[in-house]
Amino acid sequence: QVQLVESGGGLVQAGGSLRLSCAVSGWSFSTYAMGWFRRAPGKEREFVAAVTWSSSNTYYADSVKGRFTISRDNAKNTMYLQMNVLKPEDTAVYYCAAGRSAVGNLRGQSYYDYWGRGTQVTVSS
Protein backbone atom coordinates (compact mmCIF):
# COMPACT_ATOMS: atom_id res chain seq x y z
CA GLN A 1 0.00 0.00 0.00
CA VAL A 2 1.35 3.38 -1.01
CA GLN A 3 1.74 5.81 1.87
CA LEU A 4 3.05 9.36 2.12
CA VAL A 5 3.45 10.90 5.57
CA GLU A 6 4.39 14.53 6.09
CA SER A 7 6.08 15.88 9.20
CA GLY A 8 7.94 18.95 10.41
CA GLY A 9 5.15 21.48 10.43
CA GLY A 10 4.55 23.84 13.32
CA LEU A 11 4.35 27.41 14.51
CA VAL A 12 7.18 29.80 13.64
CA GLN A 13 7.67 33.54 13.63
CA ALA A 14 7.99 35.49 10.42
CA GLY A 15 11.54 35.29 9.13
CA GLY A 16 12.08 31.88 10.65
CA SER A 17 12.67 28.50 9.05
CA LEU A 18 11.14 25.04 9.00
CA ARG A 19 12.00 21.83 7.23
CA LEU A 20 9.20 19.57 6.13
CA SER A 21 9.73 15.88 5.43
CA CYS A 22 7.68 13.44 3.42
CA ALA A 23 8.36 9.78 4.17
CA VAL A 24 7.11 7.37 1.55
CA SER A 25 6.56 3.64 1.48
CA GLY A 26 4.90 1.03 -0.63
CA TRP A 27 6.54 1.58 -4.00
CA SER A 28 9.79 2.41 -5.75
CA PHE A 29 10.24 5.92 -4.45
CA SER A 30 13.27 6.61 -6.63
CA THR A 31 11.26 6.29 -9.84
CA TYR A 32 8.58 8.85 -8.98
CA ALA A 33 8.48 12.58 -9.33
CA MET A 34 7.52 14.31 -6.11
CA GLY A 35 5.87 17.59 -5.27
CA TRP A 36 4.74 19.88 -2.47
CA PHE A 37 1.44 21.71 -2.49
CA ARG A 38 -0.30 23.85 0.09
CA ARG A 39 -3.78 25.02 0.98
CA ALA A 40 -4.15 28.29 2.84
CA PRO A 41 -7.33 29.06 4.79
CA GLY A 42 -10.12 29.93 2.41
CA LYS A 43 -8.05 29.24 -0.70
CA GLU A 44 -7.57 26.49 -3.22
CA ARG A 45 -4.66 24.09 -2.96
CA GLU A 46 -1.69 25.43 -4.92
CA PHE A 47 1.64 24.23 -6.23
CA VAL A 48 4.74 24.98 -4.16
CA ALA A 49 7.64 22.92 -5.52
CA ALA A 50 8.47 19.72 -7.38
CA VAL A 51 11.47 17.53 -8.09
CA THR A 52 12.05 14.86 -10.71
CA TRP A 53 13.02 11.33 -9.74
CA SER A 54 16.73 11.94 -10.24
CA SER A 55 16.70 15.45 -8.76
CA SER A 56 17.94 16.69 -12.11
CA ASN A 57 15.14 19.23 -12.28
CA THR A 58 13.34 21.26 -9.65
CA TYR A 59 10.41 23.62 -10.02
CA TYR A 60 9.10 26.34 -7.75
CA ALA A 61 6.14 28.65 -7.48
CA ASP A 62 7.17 32.26 -7.93
CA SER A 63 5.96 33.04 -4.42
CA VAL A 64 8.54 30.74 -2.81
CA LYS A 65 11.42 30.91 -5.26
CA GLY A 66 14.65 31.85 -3.50
CA ARG A 67 13.23 31.01 -0.06
CA PHE A 68 12.24 27.34 -0.32
CA THR A 69 14.37 24.40 -1.44
CA ILE A 70 13.02 21.00 -2.42
CA SER A 71 15.23 17.92 -2.21
CA ARG A 72 14.99 14.19 -1.94
CA ASP A 73 17.04 11.31 -0.59
CA ASN A 74 16.17 8.22 -2.58
CA ALA A 75 18.17 6.02 -0.22
CA LYS A 76 15.93 7.14 2.65
CA ASN A 77 12.69 7.24 0.66
CA THR A 78 12.20 10.79 1.88
CA MET A 79 11.57 14.17 0.32
CA TYR A 80 12.20 17.49 2.02
CA LEU A 81 11.13 21.09 1.80
CA GLN A 82 13.47 23.57 3.45
CA MET A 83 11.54 26.76 4.07
CA ASN A 84 13.46 29.92 4.95
CA VAL A 85 12.43 33.54 5.49
CA LEU A 86 8.90 32.42 6.20
CA LYS A 87 6.09 34.90 5.82
CA PRO A 88 2.58 34.95 7.32
CA GLU A 89 1.22 34.27 3.83
CA ASP A 90 3.04 30.92 3.87
CA THR A 91 0.58 29.74 6.52
CA ALA A 92 -1.16 26.67 5.12
CA VAL A 93 -1.51 22.93 5.27
CA TYR A 94 1.35 21.48 3.23
CA TYR A 95 0.87 18.27 1.27
CA CYS A 96 3.36 16.03 -0.45
CA ALA A 97 2.46 14.12 -3.58
CA ALA A 98 3.95 11.49 -5.87
CA GLY A 99 3.50 10.94 -9.57
CA ARG A 100 4.36 7.88 -11.68
CA SER A 101 4.21 9.22 -15.20
CA ALA A 102 7.40 9.85 -17.14
CA VAL A 103 5.81 12.90 -18.74
CA GLY A 104 3.49 15.58 -17.52
CA ASN A 105 3.24 18.91 -15.82
CA LEU A 106 4.73 18.60 -12.35
CA ARG A 107 3.15 21.94 -11.39
CA GLY A 108 -0.32 20.54 -11.92
CA GLN A 109 -2.23 18.61 -9.27
CA SER A 110 -3.64 16.23 -11.86
CA TYR A 111 -0.16 14.83 -12.55
CA TYR A 112 0.08 13.24 -9.10
CA ASP A 113 -1.25 9.82 -8.18
CA TYR A 114 -0.73 9.75 -4.43
CA TRP A 115 -1.09 12.33 -1.69
CA GLY A 116 -0.25 12.66 1.96
CA ARG A 117 -2.65 13.97 4.59
CA GLY A 118 -0.79 17.20 5.17
CA THR A 119 1.07 19.04 7.91
CA GLN A 120 0.12 22.45 9.27
CA VAL A 121 2.54 25.36 8.98
CA THR A 122 1.63 28.55 10.80
CA VAL A 123 3.74 31.69 10.48
CA SER A 124 3.02 34.46 12.98
CA SER A 125 3.71 38.11 12.24
Side-chain angles (χ1 to χ4, degrees):
Q1 183 178 358
V2 175
Q3 283 191 319
L4 292 80
V5 180
E6 302 94 338
S7 62
L11 174 64
V12 63
Q13 289 188 331
S17 299
L18 283 174
R19 188 175 82 154
L20 304 184
S21 299
C22 174
V24 302
S25 61
W27 85 96
S28 299
F29 173 75
S30 62
T31 63
Y32 285 65
M34 300 291 296
W36 287 100
F37 290 76
R38 66 186 182 187
R39 178 184 283 126
K43 295 187 177 181
E44 297 292 319
R45 188 162 59 184
E46 64 176 4
F47 170 75
V48 176
V51 59
T52 53
W53 70 271
S54 64
S55 300
S56 59
N57 293 94
T58 56
Y59 307 90
Y60 295 94
D62 288 343
S63 59
V64 306
K65 198 173 296 182
R67 300 188 297 122
F68 291 11
T69 302
I70 189 171
S71 62
R72 64 190 293 166
D73 185 337
N74 288 346
K76 295 183 178 180
N77 285 5
T78 303
M79 175 179 66
Y80 305 97
L81 185 68
Q82 178 66 44
M83 306 186 294
N84 298 328
V85 194
L86 282 160
K87 304 175 181 180
E89 51 264 43
D90 294 317
T91 295
V93 177
Y94 284 71
Y95 301 89
C96 65
R100 295 172 294 182
S101 178
V103 295
N105 178 14
L106 271 65
R107 297 174 181 269
Q109 297 186 52
S110 62
Y111 169 82
Y112 296 90
D113 302 294
Y114 304 103
W115 294 81
R117 294 188 174 185
T119 185
Q120 176 70 46
V121 171
T122 302
V123 184
S124 62
S125 57

